[in-house]
Structures are given as structure tokens and as C-alpha cells.
Amino acid sequence: MKVLSPLPFAALCLAVPYAEYIYAPSERTLVPESIYAVNGSIRNPKALIGASKEPTVFHGPSSVTLDFEKNVAGLVTIDLNSSASELAFIGITFSESSLYISHEACDATADAGLDSPLWFSFPNGPGNYTAELKHNRGGFRYMTVVSNTTETISLNRVLLNFTAAPTQKLDEYTGYFHSNDELLNRIWYAGAYTNQLSTIDPSTGNALPWYQIINSTDNISLPETVPWWSNYTISNGTSVLTDGAKRDRLLWPGDMSISLESIGVSTYDLYSVRVALERLLDLQKHDGRLPYASPPYADTVSFTYHCHALNGMSLYFTYSGDKDWLLRYWGQYKAGISYALLSVDRTGLANITASSDWLRFGMGGH
């Protein structure tokens, strides 16, 4: 991935062992790495990847798909050179997979349909135009720039402000991994980077505007698309670990149990873990039950995810050694253990009666 003002590779390697495997960028202002596809009449598309000083010119309806060559996340800025009409717009669509590249829509965050593009107007003439904070997009590799006007419009470049892991020095890992298996090395670092992408500004959680309105059986087909917003505050603090960069961008204890140990041996961003755990503890019920997920997801009973939250507390203490924190929440931890033990019957096993367990709807039992 290209970055603006990159650090020298040799210096990076001296700072962190095996830094050549780290996917995280060294800077937060990114340009796409390559052009994946061009449709319609476009002159000099290479300007959009920083490979030309001349602007990219769109003649009539057309689009160019840009490839970051790995998943990224953040806010898009368009640098307008000129426009032949005040009515001209530029659209942006996002996709994790090349299978869902489209000039009409982004890949989905709702349970059905495809997400709406971002449309940029240019009321002030040439200059930079940045997407609204509520349209912070997580988890995409491909970005398609779309002109929907019959007029000519030219762009100097498009940039991405990489917003994931907002409090981290992105490529300065405190832990590392290396083996004689190159695939395994890349998998380990891909996992560490995935956790960084899933760590977000708490004010940019998924608003779930269509939760319990749109479901997976709905038939929503183009040209209809589904609006989306990443503007729900899911916790306190300045950074929090979530379940995923694109969806759900919420706190899920089960996902945390998997992510936490990886974070402990890579970036060591235990602050974002602690913020997530404290929000889950804020949501604990009087009977000791911990939440299935954070709002705006509805309160749901889940024995499994309750136990995952308890496990997350244990793992956090294991990696942080923060005894003061543990003592502060020890009473709540014990209440959580007591709640879990209520499900244990004479067999010595937990008998689950709630539906949101074992990842199968309606399934319970021991």
C-alpha cells in the first residue's frame, strides 16, 4: 500500500522485528495502490493513485475502481480540479471483494440489499471535499469513483484518512511472530491487522438504522439501495475493540474472547479492550447477566456470550496484570459467575434454555 511520506523501509525494520509482515500503514493518509478497472471515457486515471501530476478527467457517465490491495478503513477525501457544471456529482462505492464491485452500490452492512454510494457535490468549486464523519467506512479493499453526469469533471486525487485503531502507532507492534512457514507468518500478521481494523473511535459504531426492519428474507434489488451510518456512540473513551471493521462495529463478547489474546501478543492495545469490557460491565443486569452485544443491538439473553464476557475479564487481567482494575469490578465478576452457575443442573452441565446460544436459533440443552 502506498502512503504519503513513507518511512524508510530499513528504519522500519530496525524498529520492529519482522516488520516486513505488518499490514498496518505507517501513516494515516493513504492513496490507492493500483487501478483495478476503468469503465467509460476517463483520461489519465493514474492521477487517482498518485502516479500523475495531471488530473483525472471523467467524460460523461464513467467509473474507475481503485485497489488498496488490502482491507482499509476510514474517511474519503476528493480533491476536485474542475467541474463543467454545478450539478455534477461524484459517487464513491466500497467493496471488500472484487465480486461486489459496482458503480451503483457498496457491499452490504444490512441483512438484505446493498449499501448506498456516497455522493459528493462541489458547491465551492475546486478543492478538497471530505465525507461526513457518519460515513466512516470500515473494511473495504476496492473503492469505485463514479461520475453520473454528462458533463466533464476532473479530479486531482482521492485520499483516505485511515481511522482504524485511532490511538495506536499503527505499525509499531510490541510483539511479533516468525516461523519457517511463510503462509503461517502472513496469517498471523493478517490476524493482528484485522484486530486493528476492528478497533474504532467509539463514536463511529454502526447505527443499525434498519435493525429489525430489514431482514435476510427481504428482496431489495438495484437500483434501490440501503442508507448506512457509522455514528452511534458505543462506549466511553477514545478507542474501543469491536467485532468487525464494517459490520457490526459493536461490542460482542464472543468476538472479543478471540481477539483479546491476539492483541496481547501483537499491538498490546489493552486500553481498547478495557474500554469495551467496561461498557459491557455498565450493561450488566441486577441478576449478574452480562450482555449479548452492545446497543443499539437489542438486549438479548445468551449464556455463551455471558461467559465470553467473563472470560474476557480474565484474559484482560492475565495480559495487563491490572489488579486495581480487577478489584474495582470483582463484585460484578462474582455476580456474573453466580448467574452462570444458576444454569448448572444435577448433571454438572449448564442447561441452556435461551435461544441465542450455540449459534443455532432455537437450540438449547446441555
Side-chain angles (χ1 to χ4, degrees), residues 142-155:
Y142 302 97
M143 182 171 70
T144 300
V145 184
V146 183
S147 173
N148 72 338
T149 178
T150 57
E151 302 289 345
T152 297
I153 187 167
S154 64
L155 307 180

Side-chain angles (χ1 to χ4, degrees), residues 105 113-114 116 219-226:
L114 295 170
S116 301
N219 182 17
I220 303 174
S221 56
L222 294 172
E224 183 181 3
T225 59
V226 179

Side-chain angles (χ1 to χ4, degrees), residues 344-349 366:
V344 178
D345 62 18
R346 68 182 65 183
T347 67
L349 300 174
H366 290 93

Side-chain angles (χ1 to χ4, degrees), residues 69 80 92 145 147 208 220 276 288 296 356:
E69 300 190 356
L80 176 71
I92 299 289
V145 184
S147 173
L208 295 185
I220 303 174
S356 295

Side-chain angles (χ1 to χ4, degrees), residues 350-365:
N351 183 27
I352 306 306
T353 57
S355 61
S356 295
D357 280 290
W358 318 139
L359 294 180
R360 297 180 183 179
F361 292 108
M363 183 176 180

Side-chain angles (χ1 to χ4, degrees), residues 164-294:
T167 62
Q168 293 182 27
K169 294 183 178 179
L170 294 169
D171 59 345
E172 295 185 11
Y173 286 18
T174 60
Y176 58 89
F177 173 86
H178 191 259
S179 73
N180 61 0
D181 187 323
E182 283 299 292
L183 178 59
L184 186 59
N185 293 336
R186 290 190 289 114
I187 289 171
W188 192 92
Y189 281 92
Y193 181 54
T194 299
N195 288 329
Q196 289 181 285
L197 288 173
S198 300
T199 302
I200 67 172
D201 179 328
S203 68
T204 63
N206 191 340
L208 295 185
W210 309 109
Y211 175 51
Q212 297 181 329
I213 299 173
I214 293 175
N215 62 63
S216 58
T217 62
D218 291 334
N219 182 17
I220 303 174
S221 56
L222 294 172
E224 183 181 3
T225 59
V226 179
W228 55 277
W229 297 277
S230 298
N231 63 348
Y232 192 94
T233 299
I234 56 175
S235 74
N236 294 319
T238 55
S239 179
V240 66
L241 175 65
T242 70
D243 65 318
K246 186 179 73 175
R247 57 167 298 176
D248 293 310
R249 295 177 72 86
L250 301 177
L251 313 182
W252 288 84
D255 301 80
M256 185 188 302
S257 286
I258 298 169
S259 301
L260 200 160
E261 291 192 90
S262 299
I263 290 169
V265 296
S266 57
T267 62
Y268 203 68
D269 182 14
L270 296 184
Y271 168 79
S272 299
V273 172
R274 175 167 58 82
V275 168
L277 286 169
E278 289 177 355
R279 178 56 177 150
L280 295 175
L281 287 161
D282 287 344
L283 296 167
Q284 188 176 31
K285 300 300 182 182
H286 292 301
D287 61 1
R289 176 172 63 85
L290 289 157
Y292 183 47
S294 65

